[in-house]
Amino acid sequence: MTPPKRAPVRKKPSRAPTPARPGGAPIETIPLAAGKKGHPALGLGLWGLGRWTPEDEARTKATIGRAYERGVRWFDSAEVYGSGRSERVLGEVLHRTATAGSDTFVVTKVSWEHLRPNQVRAALVGSLERLGRSSVDLYLVHAPDPHVPLAETMPVLEALWKEGKVGAIGVSNFSEEQLEEAARHLAETRLVVNQVRYNLFDRDEADPVRAYCRAHDILLEAYTPLARGLLHGRYLDGKRIPTEVRKFAHRLFEPDRLPEIVRRARDLRALASSAKVPLASIAFHWLRAQGAAPVFGASRPEQIDENLVAWSVRPPAGVLERADRIAQGVRA
Ligand SMILES: NC(=O)c1ccc[n+]([C@@H]2O[C@H](COP(=O)([O-])OP(=O)(O)OC[C@H]3O[C@@H](n4cnc5c(N)ncnc54)[C@H](OP(=O)(O)O)[C@@H]3O)[C@@H](O)[C@H]2O)c1
C-alpha cells in the first residue's frame, strides 16, 4: 500500500459560513487532504441536464443559475458531457456572476480516451477554453483505460497542478488497485477524490474502495445519489421509465432487478412519510453518514429547489439505519 504523502487531514465538515441561501441550510465545506479549496458537501452534476436541444439549453442555464443563486458551489462536468457543451454552458452561466471565479468549486474530467501524456494536456486546454477560465478546482481522470498505464497519465496531471491549472487531482470509477497505482505516480501532491456511483441501492463500486479511501484521506464523491429519481419516489406507481433513464442507471432498472428495487423504494417512501422527511433527505444523508459527498443531477430549476430543501432536512440516525436495512432488502 502506498503510504499517505502528508499528514492526513480529518474530513470534518467545517463551520465556515457558506453563501446565504434563501429557504435552506448552508452547504458545508469538507477540507481536502491537498488542494487550495475546501470541497462543498453537496454538488450539481452537469451530465444529463438535457438532450442539448436549444430549449433544453435554456432550461439547463436556468437550472445552473438557480443552483448558484441558492448556494450550490460545486459543479461537476466532463469533457465528454454533451461533447463539451456541458462545460461551455457552465462557463457561460458562471461568467454572469461577479464572484463565480473565486467562490465556486468547478470540477471537470479528462476522458478515458485521452490518458496519453500529450492528450491529457490538450484535453485540459480544451476544457478550460470551454469553461472560460484559467484553472479548475479539481481535475478527475473520468475512468481508467486498461491500455494506458497510469505511470503515463499521473505525472502530467501533477505537472498541470504545479502550473496552477488544476487545484487538486482526483479520479473516478477507480478500484483500490487503480487508486494505489495512481497514487504511486504522484510525487508532490496526492489524490483527493474518487468519484463513484453510490446510492442506497447501488453500492457495488463504493463498498470495495471505502476503507482504502478513508485510510488515505480520499473523499468519495457519490454520483447517481438519487438513483435517477427513484429515491425521489419517481417510477414507483407504474409510470413509464424513459429509455435514457433505464440506459444510464446501471442495473437498477433492468427487468430482473426492477420489481424488487421498486418494492424497496416504496418501503423507503413509507419510512420517509412516517418520519415526516422527504425521501431524498434520506438518500442524501445516508450517503453523508457514509462519509460521501453526493453530486446530484437535475434537469429543471424546481428540482434544484426540492433537492436543497431535502438537503436541509436531517433525518434522525435511527431512520437512516432503518433505510439502510430496507434498501438492502431486510424486511422488518
Ligand atoms: N464519473 C462518472 O462516471 C459519472 C457517471 C454518472 C454521473 N456522474 C455525475 O453525477 C451527476 C449526477 O448523476 P445522475 O444524474 O445519475 O444522478 P441522480 O441525482 O441520481 O439523478 C438525477 C435525475 O434524477 C431526477 N431528479 C433529480 N431531482 C429530482 C427531483 N427533485 N424530483 C424528481 N426527480 C428528480 C432527474 O431526472 P429527469 O431529468 O428525468 O427529471 C435528474 O436528471 C451527473 O450529472 C454527473 O455529473 C458521473
Side-chain angles (χ1 to χ4, degrees):
M1 234 188 237
T2 314
K5 296 194 171 93
R6 283 181 200 168
V9 174
R10 278 196 303 141
K11 281 194 224 59
K12 262 195 157 178
S14 79
R15 284 164 201 252
T18 46
R21 180 158 49 83
I27 298 171
E28 318 84 319
T29 303
I30 301 167
L32 288 175
K36 294 188 188 116
K37 288 187 186 173
H39 188 297
L42 180 74
L44 174 65
L46 309 178
W47 160 49
L49 279 168
R51 317 295 170 253
W52 307 108
T53 60
E55 309 87 74
D56 273 345
E57 192 160 309
R59 209 173 54 184
T60 293
K61 286 184 175 170
T63 304
I64 300 172
R66 179 71 66 87
Y68 184 81
E69 248 172 66
R70 294 292 170 102
V72 174
R73 292 294 178 266
W74 166 20
F75 296 96
D76 177 80
S77 192
E79 58 166 327
V80 298
Y81 294 169
S83 304
R85 293 172 85 173
S86 165
E87 292 175 328
R88 181 176 54 72
V89 166
L90 174 63
E92 284 171 15
V93 176
L94 293 186
H95 270 271
R96 291 198 218 121
T97 69
T99 54
S102 56
D103 75 348
T104 47
F105 191 85
V106 173
V107 183
T108 196
K109 312 183 193 79
V110 54
S111 162
W112 53 92
E113 292 183 336
H114 293 154
L115 299 184
R116 298 275 179 208
N118 58 337
Q119 295 174 320
V120 176
R121 185 170 282 276
L124 181 65
V125 168
S127 289
L128 293 177
E129 263 170 31
R130 286 186 291 276
L131 287 163
R133 52 202 305 138
S134 57
S135 66
V136 285
D137 300 299
L138 174 63
Y139 198 41
L140 307 181
V141 175
H142 203 144
D145 174 350
H147 305 294
V148 181
L150 289 162
E152 289 191 27
T153 311
M154 303 313 291
V156 187
L157 290 175
E158 185 157 82
L160 294 167
W161 169 77
K162 280 189 194 163
E163 290 165 31
K165 293 192 169 69
V166 162
I169 298 170
V171 294
S172 174
N173 303 302
F174 269 43
S175 67
E176 181 174 329
E177 295 71 29
Q178 290 159 341
L179 288 167
E180 281 188 344
E181 178 62 9
R184 196 172 293 135
H185 300 290
L186 291 177
E188 292 178 45
T189 187
R190 54 190 289 169
L191 286 182
V192 294
V193 156
N194 187 19
Q195 185 181 104
V196 295
R197 187 180 50 247
Y198 197 16
N199 62 55
L200 270 160
F201 294 130
D202 205 341
R203 312 174 185 191
D204 294 355
E205 263 202 30
D207 278 351
V209 294
R210 277 181 59 203
Y212 179 90
C213 288
R214 200 178 310 116
H216 292 81
D217 250 320
I218 295 172
L219 177 67
L220 269 186
E221 292 182 350
Y223 70 72
T224 315
L226 299 171
R228 305 285 306 149
L230 259 181
L231 288 167
H232 246 295
R234 298 264 294 264
Y235 316 120
L236 300 188
D237 300 307
K239 204 178 151 217
R240 195 185 71 80
I241 304 172
T243 316
E244 65 271 16
V245 171
R246 284 180 179 273
K247 199 166 140 198
F248 291 112
H250 192 51
R251 301 230 323 106
L252 288 185
F253 292 97
E254 286 181 15
D256 62 324
R257 284 191 78 187
L258 187 61
E260 178 58 20
I261 294 291
V262 166
R263 188 189 65 70
R264 294 178 195 178
R266 285 185 184 138
D267 287 352
L268 287 174
R269 183 173 60 180
L271 172 72
S273 160
S274 66
K276 298 191 171 38
V277 300
L279 177 52
S281 303
I282 293 180
F284 284 149
H285 289 288
W286 176 82
L287 284 166
R288 185 190 157 104
Q290 315 309 311
V295 53
F296 67 88
S299 54
R300 53 194 75 241
E302 308 81 80
Q303 292 180 344
I304 297 289
D305 297 342
E306 288 163 8
N307 293 348
L308 292 177
V309 168
W311 178 256
S312 70
V313 176
R314 305 279 155 97
V319 170
L320 298 179
E321 281 156 23
R322 178 94 189 89
D324 182 71
R325 290 196 294 277
I326 292 173
Q328 291 190 84
V330 180
R331 305 207 87 159

